[in-house]
Every structure is written in C-alpha cells, then in structure tokens.
Amino acid sequence: DTELRVEAAAGAQGALDAASAGPFSAQVVRYVLRTGERLVMDDAGADARFRQCPDISIRRPRSVSCTALGAGAGDPAGALYLENSQVSGAFSAGTAGVLDVLTQQLAVALENLRYQRRLAENSVTLERALRDVAVLEGIRGELMKFVPQSAQALLQGNPASLDAMPEEKDVTVLFLDIAGYTRLSEQMADRDVQQLVETYFSAYGDDIYGQGGDISEIVGDGLLVLFQHGAPEEHARAAVRTALQVRATTGRINARMAGRWPPVAVNIGINSGAVALGFKRIQSAHGARAIFAATGSTTNLAARIGAMATEGAILLSESTQARVHGAFILNALGPQQFKNVGRPVGVYRVSGE
C-alpha cells in the first residue's frame, strides 16, 4: 500500500527472483495507480508523457504494459507492469485477452490477501473484546450482588433511569432484625457472629424472593424488604406470608445449630403505603454515588413497628391489616404512638394463617 516493489519478473532468460529483477519505470506505475488507466505502449520512448522518465530514456524499453489492479483510480490494490526491451507491439490486441485474465487473477489474489489480513486483524480485535466483555461481565456479576433485584430490572430495562427522579409507588415494607444482636456480639467472637448472621439471612433470602419480595437494604442485623408486585392486597399478603416463613426458617436453623449458637429470634414490622422509589445521587469531592431506596413515612413507620416487636413477634400497621384482613389470624394491640409520627397508629400481631 505504501511502496513500489517488484514481486517477480520474467525475461528472455527465464524466471528471475525479485532480488535480481531489473529496474522498471516507477513513473509509469505511479501514473497508472493515479489514473486507473490501462497503459499499453508499443514504443515507450516515443510517448510524450514519459519522455523525461529516467528509466525509459536510459534503458529505452520498447513495449510496456501497465494495468491497475483493483477498483480503479484512487483505490488500486497494486499494478501489473510488463516490459519488453526487444520487440515493439508485444502487448497488442493479440495478447490483450491473456493480460486481462492475468490482471483479474492478480487483483482477486491481492484482494483476498487484503481480506485475509483484515480478517486476522478483526479476529484478534474480537478476541480481545470478548476477553474484555468476559472480565466486565464477571465484575458486573459481583457488583450486582450489592444491587436490589428491582433496581437491576429497572437499569436493564432503561439505563437512563439512573438519572431519573424517584417515583411514587405503593408498596409493602417489611423490616426485620435479629433480637438481642448486641448480646450475641458480646457472647460470641466477631467471626462467629458474622457467620451466624450470614447463615440466617441467606436462608431468609429464599423465603423473601419466593414471595416476590426484594431485599432493598441490609442494615447491620436487619433487612429492609420491599413487596410491590400485584395489587396492594396481593403484595401486603405476600409480605405477611414471608414473615411467617422467616419465623419457621428461624426455628429450623435454631434446632440445627443447637449447642453451637444461641437460639435466635427475629422481630418483624410491616407497613403498607406510598414511598418514593428510585435512585438517589450523593455527590461529594470523591465523586458521585447512586443509592436505590424507598424513602418516606411508610418506610420509617415499618422500621418503628419492627423496633417495637419483641421475642420474635410479627407486627402490622393498620394500613397493612386493612389489606390482609381475613387472610391471617391477627390480634389487635391498640393504637400506638411512635417517634416522629404525628398520630397514634393501630398495631396488630400476627398469630398465624
């Protein structure tokens, strides 16, 4: 593409290799590459266009034929240059057909070489890209472990949602925490406490996701879980069913780990209503960070009710009770006053289904 080379030549004495090939007219070749014109000269020295060409004036070749290989002017793959220093008209009409075939074959061969080279380069590029994608997918898979499933679905459906404002949505919020966590931390080694929490929370994950819930936040010894699928009555009932399953799962793990860990009780508070659901950006000198959260009084009240629960109780707000009435056995605890809540809230204890 960037230089003129003699790849092979033939003369009266037979085949010659490139190193021993005689000179040729670079000016003729450049002319053909620039114009795309097929050039046939019966007497090269008599052609006014090349009268000043040193190669022709010194060597005085007779017949010269030069043809561009490829798409024509402006985009040649190379040139076929033939020269006969003894005979005029060596490349006349009688040999035109043979030269045409030879030109076409050379053009195809050169284009095939170009294609193979591009293919090899593209294959290397593609292989590198696939390796990069595999690395990025691995990183993405690890990072997604820290992102709620509802946030994952939102981003995959619309990546621009990361910059959108949170929207109001009706949900049921379940807040659970391990009772007596501080006492456990004092009785057990840090490593054992961490293993205990991971064991119970991992088991709760199956209960939560099985009912269509989504773990929105992990706060120390607590989980904030959102239920938002279906009608308000449906996700409220799914939350209460999850709470009962978590209670049963806790009992099974307690029995299995008896003698190794102290028995655990999980307190649960549930509330239903509107929240602002979406991504919130925190901007600092160290950059921006996006947090997916459900914020508002509905979430705060779920946490307050959860804090009120003791000894593994499952407590509902009056809002959730109205949605699940008749589906579970509930005991009214009467109106309760909670911090930063303007009016008393009716609370109910779940006894069973």
Side-chain angles (χ1 to χ4, degrees):
D1 290 335
T2 59
E3 61 182 350
L4 297 173
R5 294 183 297 170
V6 178
E7 294 288 351
Q13 304 303 317
L16 304 173
D17 61 29
S20 60
F24 62 96
S25 173
Q27 186 173 332
V28 169
V29 173
R30 284 195 295 269
Y31 174 85
V32 170
L33 292 178
R34 183 179 73 253
T35 64
E37 175 186 340
R38 169 189 276 182
L39 192 62
V40 178
M41 294 183 287
D42 293 336
D43 188 350
D47 194 310
R49 292 171 295 182
F50 306 106
R51 194 166 291 160
Q52 303 302 320
C53 175
D55 293 301
I56 291 177
S57 61
I58 294 173
R59 294 187 298 104
R60 304 186 63 80
R62 303 297 298 277
S63 300
V64 172
S65 175
C66 189
T67 306
L69 307 175
D75 188 28
L80 170 63
Y81 179 95
L82 299 173
E83 182 182 288
N84 190 315
S85 62
Q86 305 297 320
V87 179
S88 296
F91 309 119
S92 60
T95 58
V98 176
L99 292 180
D100 283 342
V101 173
L102 180 57
T103 300
Q104 292 170 10
Q105 290 179 336
L106 284 172
V108 170
L110 283 173
E111 189 57 34
N112 185 57
L113 286 173
R114 280 180 163 184
Y115 172 77
Q116 293 294 335
R117 183 181 65 188
R118 288 195 299 268
L119 187 62
E121 292 172 350
N122 290 340
S123 295
V124 171
T125 302
L126 179 59
E127 185 178 349
R128 289 173 181 167
L130 289 174
R131 285 200 302 267
D132 291 343
V133 168
V135 171
L136 290 174
E137 281 298 314
I139 295 172
R140 174 181 174 275
E142 290 300 315
L143 290 177
M144 281 302 182
K145 295 177 181 178
F146 301 94
V147 179
Q149 290 186 342
S150 54
Q152 296 180 33
L154 191 62
L155 285 174
Q156 289 170 354
N158 179 22
S161 60
L162 189 63
D163 297 319
M165 293 294 292
E167 60 180 26
E168 185 174 291
K169 189 153 189 178
D170 186 272
V171 302
T172 295
V173 181
L174 181 153
F175 188 87
L176 69 82
D177 73 328
I178 296 176
Y181 179 79
T182 303
R183 175 179 50 81
L184 291 174
S185 301
E186 293 172 351
Q187 294 176 351
M188 303 169 62
D190 291 344
R191 194 159 143 192
D192 292 335
V193 173
Q194 180 180 350
Q195 186 178 2
L196 179 147
V197 172
E198 289 179 356
T199 299
Y200 282 88
F201 280 7
S202 296
Y204 299 157
D206 293 334
D207 299 328
I208 292 166
Y209 294 126
Q211 291 294 333
D214 189 17
I215 299 174
S216 177
E217 295 181 38
I218 301 176
V219 187
D221 59 333
L223 295 178
L224 178 61
V225 184
L226 300 181
F227 296 83
Q228 54 181 307
H229 300 300
E233 294 78 9
E234 292 174 334
H235 60 63
R237 291 173 184 174
V240 178
R241 284 195 298 270
T242 299
L244 291 170
Q245 290 176 0
V246 165
R247 174 188 283 173
T249 297
T250 302
R252 288 193 296 272
I253 298 176
N254 285 343
R256 189 174 76 242
M257 305 306 291
R260 178 179 174 186
W261 293 337
V264 164
V266 175
N267 299 321
I268 298 177
I270 303 175
N271 185 33
S272 301
V275 297
L277 185 64
F279 291 96
K280 291 190 172 183
R281 283 185 171 272
I282 298 176
Q283 187 73 41
S284 70
H286 298 285
R289 181 182 177 190
I291 300 174
F292 187 80
T295 57
S297 60
T298 298
T299 303
N300 294 337
L301 183 55
R304 301 290 185 201
I305 294 173
M308 172 185 169
T310 59
E311 299 179 357
I314 301 172
L315 302 183
L316 313 181
S317 71
E318 58 190 17
S319 172
T320 303
Q321 182 272 338
R323 300 183 184 199
V324 305
H325 181 69
F328 304 93
I329 302 171
L330 305 178
N331 302 113
L333 302 182
Q336 305 291 324
Q337 188 67 56
F338 295 99
K339 183 179 179 181
N340 296 329
V341 178
R343 62 175 183 81
V345 177
V347 176
Y348 297 78
R349 182 195 299 269
V350 180
S351 300
E353 291 188 84

